[in-house]
Amino acid sequence: MSSFIYCKLEIFIPEAHLQRLQEALQSVDAGHIGDYDSCSCMSYSRVTGCWRPLKGSTPYIGEEFALSSETELKVEVTCLSEKADITIEAVKKIHPYEVPVINVIPLYRTSF
């Protein structure tokens, strides 16, 4: 990913954890665009997540082998590609899910 200056992270998280996520993102300067920071604060949408915990899992919500679905947030934030790893680690520290879904998408081009 080194040929891309910026990437976008998509983070799926329970709505109750939004403020903690925003603070974690601020702590690593994710969402810093020009003379603005915290540019992830309004970049989220409600989605329905689905999962089925398997044997040996310890789900935040749900029961082993039962299909679950809940409303959660998909938070999108832009960060420097070189800071993707530290941003992911900051998110994992506050994320309640055993296996958080964090997608990193290289951005070919941005408007800034």
Side-chain angles (χ1 to χ4, degrees), residues 19-20 23 27 44 46 66 73 84 96 101:
Q19 183 175 350
R20 290 185 68 205
E23 292 166 358
S27 76
Y44 61 86
R46 285 180 181 79
L73 297 179
V101 176

Side-chain angles (χ1 to χ4, degrees), residues 2 10 12-13 19 22 39-41 46 52 56 60-61 63 65-66 68-69 72 79 87 89 94 96 98 103:
S2 60
E10 293 178 337
F12 295 82
I13 194 163
Q19 183 175 350
Q22 290 168 334
C39 294
S40 67
C41 293
R46 285 180 181 79
R52 186 171 75 129
Y60 176 70
I61 299 172
E63 298 177 17
F65 299 112
S68 297
S69 64
E72 58 186 356
C79 74
T87 304
E89 288 308 311
I94 61 89
E98 183 176 19
N103 299 321

Side-chain angles (χ1 to χ4, degrees), residues 58-98:
T58 53
Y60 176 70
I61 299 172
E63 298 177 17
E64 193 174 278
F65 299 112
L67 186 60
S68 297
S69 64
E70 294 283 333
T71 300
E72 58 186 356
L73 297 179
K74 178 174 87 167
V75 178
E76 299 181 40
V77 63
T78 299
C79 74
L80 291 168
S81 294
E82 65 189 29
K83 291 188 171 187
D85 290 338
I86 65 166
T87 304
I88 290 167
E89 288 308 311
V91 172
K92 284 182 174 181
K93 285 180 184 176
I94 61 89
H95 207 293
Y97 294 170
E98 183 176 19

Side-chain angles (χ1 to χ4, degrees), residues 15-53:
E15 189 167 1
H17 288 75
L18 180 61
Q19 183 175 350
R20 290 185 68 205
L21 176 61
Q22 290 168 334
E23 292 166 358
L25 294 172
Q26 284 175 330
S27 76
V28 292
D29 203 29
H32 191 138
I33 300 172
D35 291 335
Y36 296 84
D37 74 357
S38 305
C39 294
S40 67
C41 293
M42 296 307 294
S43 301
Y44 61 86
S45 55
R46 285 180 181 79
V47 297
T48 302
C50 299
W51 64 93
R52 186 171 75 129

